């Protein structure tokens, strides 16, 4: 649920695809939004490189800039629009040849974009990503007969999951996101993802494993499983959840060290799924499980299909079956009709359960969603105050967790040099997803990105930790 902006055309790290020998021109790429969108970006980067386009690190001087937008909430759309206008300003000054807009905002608001930023050369929807090279050809006038008459390309949601091989990766070489399905069958009243991404479509197990092996061969040691709903995996294709079978298949991928699971919907976290995750040799004790609220009435208005009792029982089963598990969750504050008492119920729940990692977002009114028609919408200042109140509680929980780690030993994956402390590197424990959670400042010799170290925690620094490397992980 976060929006993440990558640097302009970040220099690719260990991409699995390389440019053709007859370069067509230079391009820059900007990826906005969630890790699922990032996978789409890497696939498009790979397609363009294969077609002969050369990636450059800066927008200035590029023949074309491709922007993969996020359209999830209004804040993300405004960020996307701001980046588009920034690139169009470079185009107007002659520093950029053309601008292509792709992704979720393009899919959701194609008409709005054409009205607000008519200077955009081409617009391509989420499921037009496989044809990005042809779109860029038109934008760079390599198909001049089509450039004006065909300014947009949209394809229907696929009946089977798109392939994500041959990606030109923009994550560090040692970790990558692995998308196991596309779309969502949920009817959550606040969410527009099904409108942008279509219905849930499972990627077959053998295809996921093939992609995993390709990524590991390219240097990946940590795979981060993503989907709109990871625990729903397999329901459309196999008639039942097949996440346990997928986990067992990934356990057999040689060279893979860590598997991290994001976006696990609570409804299908059965004992079978929990046992498979907890018993895996690769899956680390971390689970991202967005809960959104705890009040029964609010959950019903959200159409979350779970209630407080079921949620609490699930959380206690997870704690009992999976030692050292770090749970990340997200909540929405200020949902239409949320009373003071229901908000206090949520705040108290956060204080009582003590999630290791937690984010909270103000409700965002999304046009065209069922929640738009609910009564009880509240002012932004009320929603923001409720967000701040929950984060004040969670800050104390997180600081307490960090302080409790002092003196303990943790396996840590090294991400790179520490930008603030010479002679140190930055890494992550199993409790930390890249760019979302916390970090560990590690003092140690000869530690490189992708290395694993056993680290003794010597201090807590707010949310983060500091420690020294004392050997190899267990």
């Amino acid at each position: 649920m976060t929006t993440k902006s990558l640097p302009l055309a970040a220099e690719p790290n260990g991409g699995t695809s390389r440019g053709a020998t007859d370069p067509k021109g230079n391009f820059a790429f900007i990826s906005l939004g969630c890790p699922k969108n990032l996978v789409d970006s890497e696939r498009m980067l790979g397609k363009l490189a294969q077609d002969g386009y050369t990636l450059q690190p800066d927008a200035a001087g590029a023949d074309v800039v491709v922007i993969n937008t996020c359209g999830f909430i209004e804040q993300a759309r405004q960020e996307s629009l701001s980046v588009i206008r920034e690139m169009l300003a470079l185009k107007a000054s002659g520093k950029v040849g053309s601008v292509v807009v792709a992704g979720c905002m393009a899919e959701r608001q194609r008409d709005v974009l054409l009205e607000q930023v008519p200077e955009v050369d081409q617009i391509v929807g989420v499921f037009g990503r496989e044809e990005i090279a042809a779109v860029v050809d038109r934008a760079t006038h390599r198909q001049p007969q089509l450039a004006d008459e065909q300014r947009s390309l949209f394809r229907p949601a696929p009946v089977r999951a798109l392939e994500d091989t041959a990606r030109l990766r923009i994550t560090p070489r040692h970790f990558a996101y692995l998308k196991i399905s596309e779309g969502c069958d949920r009817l959550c009243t606040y969410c527009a993802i099904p409108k942008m991404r279509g219905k849930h479509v499972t990627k077959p197990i053998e295809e996921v494993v093939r992609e995993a092996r390709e990524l590991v061969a390219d240097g990946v040691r940590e795979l981060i499983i993503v989907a709109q709903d990871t625990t729903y995996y397999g329901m459309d294709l196999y008639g039942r959840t097949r996440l346990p079978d997928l986990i067992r298949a990934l356990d057999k991928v040689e060279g893979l060290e860590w598997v991290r699971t994001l976006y696990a919907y609570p409804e299908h976290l059965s004992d079978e799924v929990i046992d498979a995750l907890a018993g895996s040799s690769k899956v680390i004790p971390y689970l991202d499980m967005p809960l959104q609220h705890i009040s029964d009435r609010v959950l019903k208005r959200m159409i979350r299909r779970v209630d407080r009792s079921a949620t609490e029982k699930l959380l206690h089963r997870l704690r009992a079956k999976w030692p050292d598990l770090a749970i990340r969750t997200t909540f929405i504050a200020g949902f239409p009709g949320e009373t003071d008492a229901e908000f206090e119920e949520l705040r108290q729940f956060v204080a009582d359960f003590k999630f290791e990692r937690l984010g909270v977002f103000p409700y965002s009114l999304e046009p065209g969603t069922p929640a738009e028609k609910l009564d009880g919408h509240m002012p932004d200042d009320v929603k923001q105050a409720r967000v701040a109140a929950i984060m004040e509680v969670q800050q104390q929980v997180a600081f307490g967790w960090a302080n409790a780690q002092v003196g303990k030993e943790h396996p840590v994956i090294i991400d790179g040099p520490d930008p603030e402390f010479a002679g140190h590197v930055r890494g992550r424990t199993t409790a930390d997803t890249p760019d979302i959670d916390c970090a560990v400042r590690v003092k140690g010799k000869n530690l490189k990105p992708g290395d694993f170290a056993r680290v003794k925690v010597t201090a807590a620094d707010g949310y983060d930790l500091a420690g020294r490397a004392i050997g190899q992980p267990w």
Side-chain angles (χ1 to χ4, degrees), residues 3 5 42 44-45 119 195 283 288 290 323 384 409 411 417 443 449:
T3 297
S5 175
E42 293 178 339
M44 286 190 279
L45 283 160
E119 305 90 346
K195 294 178 180 294
V283 174
D288 170 67
Q384 292 293 348
E409 298 177 7
K443 185 171 182 60

Side-chain angles (χ1 to χ4, degrees), residues 247 250-252 256-259 276-284:
I247 293 300
L250 291 174
D251 273 347
K252 299 177 182 177
L256 176 60
E257 299 287 342
W258 282 7
V259 174
L277 293 168
S280 166
S281 62
K282 309 280 189 184
V283 174
I284 56 178

Side-chain angles (χ1 to χ4, degrees), residues 39-60:
V39 174
D40 289 341
S41 294
E42 293 178 339
R43 174 69 171 179
M44 286 190 279
L45 283 160
K47 285 284 186 182
L48 289 167
Q50 286 178 328
D51 200 57
Y53 285 94
T54 302
L55 178 64
Q56 67 172 45
D58 297 306

Side-chain angles (χ1 to χ4, degrees), residues 214-290:
E214 179 184 272
L215 291 165
V216 170
D218 192 48
V220 168
R221 305 194 74 185
E222 177 185 10
L223 280 176
I224 305 168
I225 293 177
V226 295
Q228 301 301 337
D229 182 354
T230 53
T231 49
Y232 197 71
Y233 176 80
M235 293 295 288
D236 58 312
L237 190 61
Y238 305 108
R240 61 184 179 89
T241 181
R242 292 289 300 276
L243 186 59
D245 298 312
L246 177 61
I247 293 300
R248 286 188 281 269
L250 291 174
D251 273 347
K252 299 177 182 177
V253 176
E254 294 185 9
L256 176 60
E257 299 287 342
W258 282 7
V259 174
R260 188 183 298 273
T261 310
L262 305 188
Y263 310 114
Y265 191 91
E267 185 182 6
H268 291 286
L269 262 171
S270 63
D271 285 339
E272 180 191 10
V273 173
I274 296 172
D275 289 342
L277 293 168
S280 166
S281 62
K282 309 280 189 184
V283 174
I284 56 178
Y286 178 99
L287 188 66
D288 170 67
M289 183 174 61

Side-chain angles (χ1 to χ4, degrees), residues 158-170:
V159 296
R160 57 168 295 164
L162 297 176
E163 185 177 325
D164 293 316
T165 56
R167 289 150 53 183
L168 188 60
R169 291 195 291 112
I170 45 181

Side-chain angles (χ1 to χ4, degrees), residues 187-378:
L187 300 174
C188 302
T189 54
Y190 53 83
C191 185
I193 284 175
K195 294 178 180 294
M196 294 182 286
R197 292 277 181 173
K199 293 182 69 63
H200 178 98
V201 185
T202 292
K203 186 182 295 181
I205 290 175
E206 58 273 15
E207 291 187 17
V208 177
V209 172
R210 184 172 71 249
E211 290 178 18
R213 287 186 173 130
E214 179 184 272
L215 291 165
V216 170
D218 192 48
V220 168
R221 305 194 74 185
E222 177 185 10
L223 280 176
I224 305 168
I225 293 177
V226 295
Q228 301 301 337
D229 182 354
T230 53
T231 49
Y232 197 71
Y233 176 80
M235 293 295 288
D236 58 312
L237 190 61
Y238 305 108
R240 61 184 179 89
T241 181
R242 292 289 300 276
L243 186 59
D245 298 312
L246 177 61
I247 293 300
R248 286 188 281 269
L250 291 174
D251 273 347
K252 299 177 182 177
V253 176
E254 294 185 9
L256 176 60
E257 299 287 342
W258 282 7
V259 174
R260 188 183 298 273
T261 310
L262 305 188
Y263 310 114
Y265 191 91
E267 185 182 6
H268 291 286
L269 262 171
S270 63
D271 285 339
E272 180 191 10
V273 173
I274 296 172
D275 289 342
L277 293 168
S280 166
S281 62
K282 309 280 189 184
V283 174
I284 56 178
Y286 178 99
L287 188 66
D288 170 67
M289 183 174 61
L291 296 177
Q292 310 305 9
H293 216 280
I294 198 60
S295 161
D296 285 344
R297 194 184 73 91
V298 176
L299 288 168
K300 186 174 182 179
R301 283 166 71 88
M302 290 178 168
I303 311 186
R304 288 292 290 175
R305 300 179 185 173
V306 293
D307 59 17
R308 175 167 186 153
S309 175
T311 299
E312 289 182 326
K313 289 176 182 176
L314 171 60
L315 290 169
H316 290 309
R317 290 206 317 275
L318 282 165
R319 293 288 197 216
K321 286 175 170 283
W322 204 349
D324 301 321
L325 174 65
I327 299 177
R328 158 164 278 280
T329 194
T330 51
F331 292 109
I332 295 173
F335 190 76
E338 179 190 67
T339 65
D340 291 344
E342 288 163 343
F343 168 72
E344 177 57 27
E345 181 183 1
L346 174 60
R347 193 196 68 81
Q348 190 62 50
F349 176 70
V350 170
D352 291 342
F353 191 78
K354 294 181 170 45
F355 293 93
E356 288 80 5
R357 303 289 184 257
L358 182 146
V360 59
F361 301 88
Y363 166 73
S364 174
L365 192 158
E366 295 304 304
T369 60
E372 181 184 18
K373 299 179 180 179
L374 292 175
D375 60 345
H377 287 265
M378 58 192 68

